[in-house]
Amino acid sequence: KMVHNGIEYADMQLIAEAYDLLRKGLGSEPAAIADTFRTWNRGRLDSYLMEISSEVLAHVDADTGKPFVDVVADEAEQKGTGRWTVQGALELGVPVTGIAEAVFARSLSGHRDLRTAARDLPGTSGAVLEGAAAEGFAEDIEQALYASKIVAYAQGFNQIQAGAAEYDWTIDLGAVAAIWRGGCIIRARFLDEITAAYRREPGLPTLLTDPSFAQALAGAQDSWRRVVAVAAQLGIPAPGFSTALAYYDALRSERLPAALVQAQRDFFGA
């Protein structure tokens, strides 16, 4: 349940980043983004969270006539389960970077004093994409959202695997995905794919190496990288997308710069 909630944090953060990129990067209004989300929800991103996100974005505040999302304070609270997930992962030595970034994003949103003090820091012009640069960017975001979602779930399931090994539990990860599919906040068509992956290979080291997910990640490569790059160029924070891509690239690297970190430790440790 704790890891479920941690994944929920990551899922919500990724959807929020997709919204922010569509709005600030393409200049789309909330009602139009609601339509985009409804379209995505009819495909592989079909989920309860996508469904309610489209409903929220389509809603207009009766008192002000503004989109409801513009009336809500941009400070996301938390009950602690996401933080517990990250703390547990640190104890187990499992990197759950997507969940951690989602927890930190909520924490940052609540530091109004820091945000106010930093509001005038230099940055980009905030211009939206136009012409050829804007063409296909919404589709790129959909690809990046799906790929980043795969990473977040993979990290969560790795944490459950590590917990099972540490505490001598016997856990059927495919069954866990099926239970979550049955009726919880992160219920989604995507969970059927996870169940199928663990049915094919119960000892799967990570969801990223399952042939079905590996193929999806391969197809998302160019779009995923383009979204992260454009977000940085436009000054739109996308920590969920960025850390998911960094994790993916770190896993597939033949050799990591941790070699230098260890050499540094050897030097001053000696």
Side-chain angles (χ1 to χ4, degrees), residues 27-51:
S28 299
E29 290 299 318
I33 299 173
D35 289 338
T36 298
F37 279 11
R38 289 193 189 99
T39 299
W40 291 355
N41 199 45
R42 289 193 287 270
R44 61 185 181 174
L45 287 171
D46 172 24
S47 70
Y48 173 72
L49 285 172
M50 285 299 296
E51 178 186 342

Side-chain angles (χ1 to χ4, degrees), residues 14-128:
L14 291 170
I15 293 172
E17 290 180 19
Y19 151 75
D20 208 30
L21 285 161
L22 288 167
R23 189 160 193 190
K24 294 177 182 175
L26 290 176
S28 299
E29 290 299 318
I33 299 173
D35 289 338
T36 298
F37 279 11
R38 289 193 189 99
T39 299
W40 291 355
N41 199 45
R42 289 193 287 270
R44 61 185 181 174
L45 287 171
D46 172 24
S47 70
Y48 173 72
L49 285 172
M50 285 299 296
E51 178 186 342
I52 66 169
S53 296
S54 64
E55 291 297 321
V56 168
L57 291 171
H59 188 64
V60 175
D61 179 62
D63 293 333
T64 64
K66 296 179 180 179
F68 182 66
V69 72
D70 289 345
V71 178
V72 178
D74 62 335
E75 299 178 30
E77 297 181 355
Q78 50 186 311
K79 293 183 177 179
T81 44
R83 185 168 61 250
W84 299 343
T85 304
V86 177
Q87 290 170 339
L90 288 170
E91 291 294 329
L92 292 167
V94 179
V96 291
T97 55
I99 298 171
E101 284 292 356
V103 172
F104 291 143
R106 291 197 192 188
S107 297
L108 178 60
S109 75
H111 284 278
R112 179 65 65 181
D113 53 341
L114 293 179
R115 294 170 58 200
T116 300
R119 189 165 292 163
D120 295 327
L121 288 175
T124 62
S125 63
V128 300

Side-chain angles (χ1 to χ4, degrees), residues 21 129 132-141 143-144 219-234 238 241-242 245:
L21 285 161
L129 297 177
E135 188 174 347
F137 191 59
E139 289 76 15
D140 287 342
I141 295 172
Q143 290 272 18
Q221 285 290 297
D222 292 344
S223 293
W224 198 5
R225 298 182 189 284
R226 189 156 48 244
V227 166
V228 171
V230 169
Q233 290 167 349
L234 296 180
F241 287 162
S242 300
L245 181 57

Side-chain angles (χ1 to χ4, degrees), residues 111-214:
H111 284 278
R112 179 65 65 181
D113 53 341
L114 293 179
R115 294 170 58 200
T116 300
R119 189 165 292 163
D120 295 327
L121 288 175
T124 62
S125 63
V128 300
L129 297 177
E130 295 179 343
E135 188 174 347
F137 191 59
E139 289 76 15
D140 287 342
I141 295 172
E142 191 273 345
Q143 290 272 18
L145 177 56
Y146 189 69
S148 299
K149 184 183 177 85
I150 293 173
V151 170
Y153 278 70
Q155 291 178 349
F157 276 90
N158 280 155
Q159 181 170 354
I160 296 174
Q161 284 176 311
E166 176 72 17
Y167 303 113
D168 196 25
W169 298 332
T170 300
I171 296 180
D172 182 338
L173 295 175
V176 170
I179 291 169
W180 290 351
R181 178 73 167 101
C184 64
I185 298 298
I186 63 171
R187 60 183 180 270
R189 178 190 301 183
F190 176 78
L191 287 164
D192 291 336
E193 296 294 326
I194 294 178
T195 297
Y198 284 114
R199 291 288 181 264
R200 285 190 292 268
E201 187 180 346
L204 191 67
T206 171
L207 286 173
L208 305 189
T209 59
D210 172 75
S212 177
F213 287 123

